[in-house]
Coordinates of all heavy atoms in Angstrom, one line a residue:
A1 N -30.2 -23.9 1.7 CA -30.9 -23.5 2.9 C -31.1 -22.1 2.8 O -32.1 -21.5 3.3 CB -29.9 -23.8 4.1
F2 N -30.1 -21.3 2.3 CA -30.4 -19.8 2.0 C -31.5 -19.6 1.1 O -32.4 -18.8 1.3 CB -29.0 -19.2 1.5 CG -28.2 -18.6 2.5 CD1 -27.6 -19.4 3.5 CD2 -28.0 -17.2 2.6 CE1 -26.7 -18.9 4.5 CE2 -27.2 -16.6 3.6 CZ -26.5 -17.5 4.5
K3 N -31.6 -20.4 0.0 CA -32.6 -20.2 -1.0 C -34.0 -20.4 -0.3 O -34.9 -19.7 -0.5 CB -32.4 -21.1 -2.1 CG -33.5 -21.1 -3.2 CD -33.2 -22.1 -4.2 CE -34.3 -22.1 -5.4 NZ -34.1 -23.1 -6.4
R4 N -34.1 -21.5 0.5 CA -35.4 -21.9 1.2 C -35.7 -20.7 2.2 O -36.8 -20.6 2.6 CB -35.2 -23.2 1.9 CG -35.2 -24.3 0.8 CD -35.2 -25.6 1.6 NE -35.1 -26.8 0.6 CZ -35.7 -27.9 0.8 NH1 -36.2 -28.2 2.0 NH2 -35.6 -28.8 -0.1
S5 N -34.6 -20.0 2.7 CA -34.9 -19.1 3.8 C -35.1 -17.6 3.2 O -35.4 -16.7 4.0 CB -33.6 -18.9 4.7 OG -33.3 -20.1 5.3
G6 N -35.2 -17.6 1.9 CA -35.4 -16.2 1.3 C -34.2 -15.3 1.4 O -34.3 -14.0 1.4
L7 N -33.0 -15.9 1.5 CA -31.7 -15.1 1.7 C -30.8 -15.4 0.5 O -31.0 -16.3 -0.2 CB -31.0 -15.6 3.0 CG -31.9 -15.5 4.3 CD1 -31.1 -16.2 5.5 CD2 -32.1 -14.0 4.6
Q8 N -29.8 -14.5 0.4 CA -28.9 -14.6 -0.6 C -27.4 -14.7 -0.1 O -27.1 -14.1 0.9 CB -29.0 -13.4 -1.6 CG -30.2 -13.2 -2.2 CD -30.3 -12.0 -3.1 OE1 -29.5 -12.0 -4.1 NE2 -31.0 -11.0 -2.8
C9 N -26.6 -15.5 -0.8 CA -25.2 -15.6 -0.3 C -24.3 -15.8 -1.5 O -24.7 -16.3 -2.5 CB -25.1 -16.8 0.7 SG -25.4 -18.4 0.1
E10 N -23.0 -15.5 -1.3 CA -22.0 -15.8 -2.3 C -20.8 -16.4 -1.5 O -20.6 -16.2 -0.3 CB -21.5 -14.5 -2.9 CG -22.5 -13.8 -3.9 CD -22.1 -12.5 -4.4 OE1 -20.9 -12.0 -4.0 OE2 -22.6 -12.0 -5.4
F11 N -20.1 -17.3 -2.2 CA -19.0 -17.9 -1.5 C -17.7 -17.4 -2.0 O -17.4 -17.3 -3.2 CB -19.1 -19.5 -1.8 CG -20.4 -20.1 -1.2 CD1 -21.6 -20.2 -1.9 CD2 -20.3 -20.6 0.1 CE1 -22.7 -20.6 -1.3 CE2 -21.4 -21.0 0.8 CZ -22.7 -21.1 0.1
Q12 N -16.8 -17.0 -1.0 CA -15.5 -16.5 -1.3 C -14.5 -17.6 -0.9 O -14.5 -18.1 0.2 CB -15.3 -15.3 -0.4 CG -16.3 -14.1 -0.7 CD -16.3 -13.6 -2.1 OE1 -15.2 -13.6 -2.7 NE2 -17.4 -13.2 -2.6
R13 N -13.6 -17.9 -1.9 CA -12.6 -18.9 -1.7 C -11.4 -18.2 -1.1 O -10.7 -17.3 -1.7 CB -12.3 -19.5 -3.1 CG -13.4 -20.5 -3.6 CD -13.2 -21.0 -4.9 NE -14.2 -22.0 -5.3 CZ -14.2 -23.3 -5.1 NH1 -13.1 -23.9 -4.7 NH2 -15.2 -24.0 -5.6
V14 N -11.0 -18.6 0.1 CA -9.9 -18.1 0.9 C -9.2 -19.3 1.5 O -9.7 -20.3 1.7 CB -10.4 -17.0 1.9 CG1 -11.0 -15.8 1.3 CG2 -11.3 -17.7 2.8
P15 N -7.9 -19.1 1.8 CA -7.2 -20.2 2.6 C -8.0 -20.6 3.8 O -8.6 -19.9 4.5 CB -5.9 -19.5 3.0 CG -5.7 -18.4 2.1 CD -7.0 -17.8 1.7
L16 N -8.0 -21.9 4.0 CA -8.7 -22.5 5.1 C -8.5 -21.9 6.5 O -9.4 -21.6 7.2 CB -8.5 -24.0 5.1 CG -9.3 -24.8 6.3 CD1 -10.7 -24.8 6.1 CD2 -8.7 -26.3 6.3
S17 N -7.1 -21.6 6.7 CA -6.8 -21.0 7.9 C -7.4 -19.7 8.2 O -7.4 -19.1 9.2 CB -5.2 -21.0 8.1 OG -4.7 -20.2 7.0
R18 N -7.7 -19.0 7.0 CA -8.1 -17.5 7.1 C -9.7 -17.4 7.2 O -10.2 -16.4 7.7 CB -7.7 -16.7 5.9 CG -6.2 -16.5 5.8 CD -5.7 -15.5 6.8 NE -6.3 -14.2 6.4 CZ -6.4 -13.2 7.3 NH1 -6.0 -13.3 8.5 NH2 -7.0 -12.0 6.9
S19 N -10.4 -18.4 6.6 CA -11.8 -18.2 6.5 C -12.5 -17.9 7.8 O -13.4 -17.0 7.9 CB -12.4 -19.4 5.8 OG -13.8 -19.3 5.7
M20 N -12.3 -18.6 8.8 CA -13.0 -18.4 10.1 C -12.5 -17.2 10.8 O -13.2 -16.5 11.5 CB -12.7 -19.7 11.0 CG -13.6 -19.8 12.1 SD -15.3 -19.8 11.7 CE -16.0 -20.7 13.0
I21 N -11.2 -16.8 10.6 CA -10.7 -15.5 11.1 C -11.5 -14.4 10.6 O -11.9 -13.5 11.3 CB -9.2 -15.4 10.8 CG1 -8.4 -16.5 11.6 CG2 -8.7 -14.0 11.2 CD1 -6.9 -16.5 11.2
L22 N -11.6 -14.4 9.2 CA -12.4 -13.4 8.6 C -13.9 -13.3 8.9 O -14.5 -12.2 9.1 CB -12.2 -13.5 7.0 CG -10.8 -13.3 6.5 CD1 -10.7 -13.7 5.1 CD2 -10.3 -12.0 6.7
A23 N -14.5 -14.5 9.1 CA -15.9 -14.5 9.7 C -16.0 -14.1 11.0 O -17.0 -13.4 11.3 CB -16.4 -15.9 9.6
N24 N -15.0 -14.3 11.8 CA -15.1 -13.9 13.2 C -14.8 -12.4 13.3 O -15.5 -11.6 14.2 CB -13.8 -14.5 14.0 CG -13.9 -14.4 15.5 OD1 -14.9 -14.7 16.1 ND2 -13.0 -13.7 16.0
D25 N -13.9 -11.7 12.5 CA -13.8 -10.2 12.6 C -14.9 -9.4 11.7 O -14.8 -8.2 11.8 CB -12.3 -9.8 12.2 CG -11.9 -10.0 10.8 OD1 -12.9 -10.1 10.0 OD2 -10.8 -10.0 10.5
G26 N -15.7 -10.2 11.0 CA -16.8 -9.5 10.3 C -16.3 -9.2 8.8 O -17.1 -8.6 8.2
S27 N -15.1 -9.5 8.4 CA -14.7 -9.2 7.0 C -15.5 -10.1 6.2 O -15.8 -9.8 5.0 CB -13.2 -9.4 6.9 OG -12.4 -8.7 7.7
L28 N -15.9 -11.3 6.5 CA -16.8 -12.2 5.9 C -18.0 -12.3 6.8 O -18.0 -12.1 8.0 CB -16.2 -13.6 5.6 CG -15.2 -13.5 4.5 CD1 -14.5 -15.0 4.4 CD2 -15.7 -13.2 3.1
D29 N -19.2 -12.7 6.2 CA -20.4 -12.9 7.0 C -20.5 -14.3 7.7 O -21.3 -14.4 8.6 CB -21.6 -12.6 6.2 CG -21.5 -11.2 5.7 OD1 -21.6 -10.3 6.5 OD2 -21.6 -11.0 4.4
G30 N -19.7 -15.2 7.2 CA -19.8 -16.6 7.8 C -18.8 -17.5 7.2 O -18.0 -17.1 6.3
D31 N -18.7 -18.7 7.8 CA -17.8 -19.7 7.3 C -18.6 -21.0 7.0 O -19.5 -21.3 7.9 CB -16.7 -20.0 8.4 CG -15.8 -21.1 8.0 OD1 -16.1 -22.3 8.2 OD2 -14.7 -20.9 7.4
V32 N -18.4 -21.7 5.9 CA -19.3 -22.7 5.4 C -19.4 -23.9 6.3 O -20.4 -24.6 6.4 CB -18.9 -23.1 4.0 CG1 -17.6 -23.9 3.9 CG2 -20.1 -23.8 3.3
M33 N -18.2 -24.3 6.9 CA -18.2 -25.5 7.8 C -17.0 -25.6 8.7 O -15.9 -25.4 8.3 CB -18.3 -26.7 6.9 CG -17.0 -27.0 6.0 SD -16.9 -28.6 5.3 CE -15.1 -28.7 5.0
R34 N -17.4 -25.8 10.0 CA -16.4 -26.0 11.0 C -16.9 -26.9 12.1 O -18.1 -27.2 12.2 CB -16.0 -24.6 11.7 CG -15.4 -23.7 10.8 CD -13.9 -24.0 10.5 NE -13.4 -23.2 9.4 CZ -12.1 -22.8 9.2 NH1 -11.2 -23.3 10.0 NH2 -11.8 -22.1 8.2
I35 N -16.0 -27.5 12.9 CA -16.4 -28.4 14.0 C -17.1 -27.4 15.0 O -16.9 -26.3 15.1 CB -15.3 -29.1 14.6 CG1 -14.2 -28.1 15.2 CG2 -14.7 -30.1 13.6 CD1 -13.2 -28.9 16.0
A36 N -18.0 -28.0 15.9 CA -18.7 -27.3 16.8 C -17.8 -26.5 17.8 O -18.0 -25.4 18.3 CB -19.6 -28.2 17.7
D37 N -16.6 -27.0 18.1 CA -15.7 -26.4 19.1 C -15.0 -25.1 18.5 O -14.4 -24.4 19.3 CB -14.5 -27.4 19.5 CG -15.1 -28.5 20.4 OD1 -16.1 -28.4 20.9 OD2 -14.3 -29.5 20.5
A38 N -15.3 -24.9 17.3 CA -14.6 -23.7 16.7 C -15.0 -22.4 17.3 O -14.4 -21.4 17.6 CB -14.8 -23.7 15.1
A39 N -16.4 -22.4 17.7 CA -17.0 -21.2 18.3 C -16.3 -20.9 19.7 O -16.5 -19.8 20.2 CB -18.5 -21.3 18.4
K40 N -15.7 -21.9 20.3 CA -14.9 -21.6 21.6 C -13.7 -20.7 21.4 O -13.3 -19.9 22.2 CB -14.6 -22.9 22.3 CG -15.7 -23.8 22.7 CD -15.2 -25.1 23.3 CE -16.4 -26.0 23.7 NZ -15.9 -27.3 24.3
T41 N -13.1 -20.9 20.2 CA -12.0 -20.1 19.9 C -12.4 -18.7 19.2 O -11.8 -17.7 19.5 CB -11.0 -20.9 19.0 OG1 -10.6 -22.1 19.6 CG2 -9.7 -20.0 18.6

């Protein structure tokens, strides 16, 4: 999807419990997959 959008990304392997925390505080730019309700937290 990034390739088709003309964007670039790299994937950082981190503990599952940390990935969304880091995406939320801006240390990472995103998280590859979560349930829809994750954005409520």
Side-chain angles (χ1 to χ4, degrees):
F2 266 66
K3 180 180 176 182
R4 292 182 178 211
S5 302
L7 302 169
Q8 299 181 66
C9 65
E10 294 176 346
F11 294 90
Q12 301 298 327
R13 292 177 177 261
V14 297
L16 179 63
S17 60
R18 291 285 298 160
S19 181
M20 195 60 149
I21 294 172
L22 295 173
N24 191 64
D25 70 17
S27 300
L28 290 173
D29 297 302
D31 180 274
V32 74
M33 61 166 202
R34 297 283 168 157
I35 62 174
D37 289 346
K40 295 179 181 178
T41 301

